Amino acid sequence: NAGVTQTPKFQVLKTGQSMTLQCAQDMNHEYMSWYRQDPGMGLRLIHYSVGAGITDQGEVPNGYNVSRSTTEDFPLRLLSAAPSQTSVYFCASSYSSRGGEQYFGPGTRLTVT
Amino acid sequence: GQQVMQIPQYQHVQEGEDFTTYCNSSTTLSNIQWYKQRPGGHPVFLIQLVKSGEVKKQKRLTFQFGEAKKNSSLHITATQTTDVGTYFCAEDNFNKFYFGSGTKLNVKP
């Protein structure tokens, strides 16, 4: 099993550009989520999904969209990048959303200039 | 949303010394998870506590959940250089996970 994979590892965008961060898991996990990590602020939940076709907002959803068309994939779309979205983005999955262990991907380091 | 406050923000210890990080909430937590993140890495799950007063051990690590389920702690006995990293607590609140800001541990050999 590859676990949770994320692409790309690094990305530089100009303000106003859009892009999609990819996340995939091969563990047949129901729950998937996206976090951003900024220095000194821990991880903050952006969006999450409890199964294919179901998504919901987390703590900091503005400026981001998600979709979950399959169990395996959970892409995160930045609609119009802003410097405030410079961060490290982690995707995570867990077998169940009922308090289960979360498996994190390696992260994407995004810089918006 | 829920907030879990974590202290201290940083801790520098000599190898062999003990280390403790605390996670506190003003409201009752449904459960608490602990993660470790090595420098440049991703968070890795350590443990989950669910019951009031629960204590779990993993080798030199001891995890506690308060009787009122409003606080939790992670204690490392006799730190080693391999313990370096940032330790996070997180609450699972109805599918939404709220992370503390983390305690960064540095261990001097």
Side-chain angles (χ1 to χ4, degrees):
Chain A
N1 285 354
V4 180
T5 57
Q6 290 183 240
T7 55
K9 289 188 177 179
F10 301 95
Q11 183 71 48
V12 179
L13 291 177
K14 294 187 188 302
T15 297
Q17 287 184 318
S18 63
M19 79 159 295
T20 299
L21 306 185
Q22 301 292 343
C23 174
Q25 52 91 9
D26 61 358
M27 298 174 283
N28 201 31
H29 284 175
E30 286 296 317
Y31 184 90
M32 295 187 74
S33 54
W34 276 102
Y35 295 88
R36 60 176 290 171
Q37 184 173 35
D38 302 299
M41 297 191 71
L43 293 101
R44 291 183 292 169
L45 182 65
I46 304 171
H47 286 286
Y48 66 97
S49 168
V50 297
I54 306 169
T55 63
D56 206 345
Q57 295 182 349
E59 202 178 348
V60 288
N62 292 342
Y64 308 94
N65 272 358
V66 292
S67 60
R68 184 98 180 267
S69 56
T70 66
T71 299
E72 295 77 21
D73 300 297
F74 191 45
L76 177 73
R77 280 182 287 278
L78 279 70
L79 309 172
S80 177
S84 60
Q85 293 179 305
T86 293
S87 189
V88 180
Y89 291 85
F90 288 102
C91 178
S93 72
S94 64
Y95 177 74
S96 166
S97 59
R98 290 180 169 268
E101 169 183 358
Q102 288 195 91
Y103 295 80
F104 282 81
T108 294
R109 186 174 293 273
L110 175 68
T111 302
V112 183
T113 61
Chain B
Q2 295 278 26
Q3 279 199 338
V4 285
M5 309 302 292
Q6 199 171 346
I7 55 170
Q9 191 174 2
Y10 301 97
Q11 187 81 54
H12 301 270
V13 300
Q14 198 73 38
E15 190 173 22
E17 291 180 338
D18 291 357
F19 159 77
T20 305
T21 174
Y22 301 90
C23 194
N24 299 301
S25 172
S26 58
T27 58
T28 303
L29 301 166
S30 52
N31 60 61
I32 199 84
Q33 297 180 343
W34 286 93
Y35 291 81
K36 177 183 178 181
Q37 184 177 25
R38 295 183 187 274
H42 59 275
V44 174
F45 176 83
L46 294 176
I47 208 157
Q48 178 174 286
L49 305 172
V50 179
K51 299 177 183 176
S52 167
E54 192 169 13
V55 178
K56 288 188 177 180
K57 292 191 176 184
Q58 290 179 351
K59 297 183 180 178
R60 295 178 294 104
L61 278 61
T62 302
F63 303 85
Q64 291 189 310
F65 203 6
E67 292 289 343
K69 298 183 73 173
K70 288 186 176 182
N71 57 74
S72 180
S73 65
L74 158 60
H75 179 83
I76 302 178
T77 303
T79 54
Q80 300 175 358
T81 54
T82 53
D83 296 325
V84 164
T86 302
Y87 293 84
F88 294 97
C89 61
E91 185 208 9
D92 171 17
N93 189 333
F94 298 103
N95 303 329
K96 293 186 178 182
F97 289 83
Y98 294 91
F99 279 75
S101 55
T103 296
K104 189 171 183 178
L105 173 64
N106 187 38
V107 180
K108 288 181 281 188

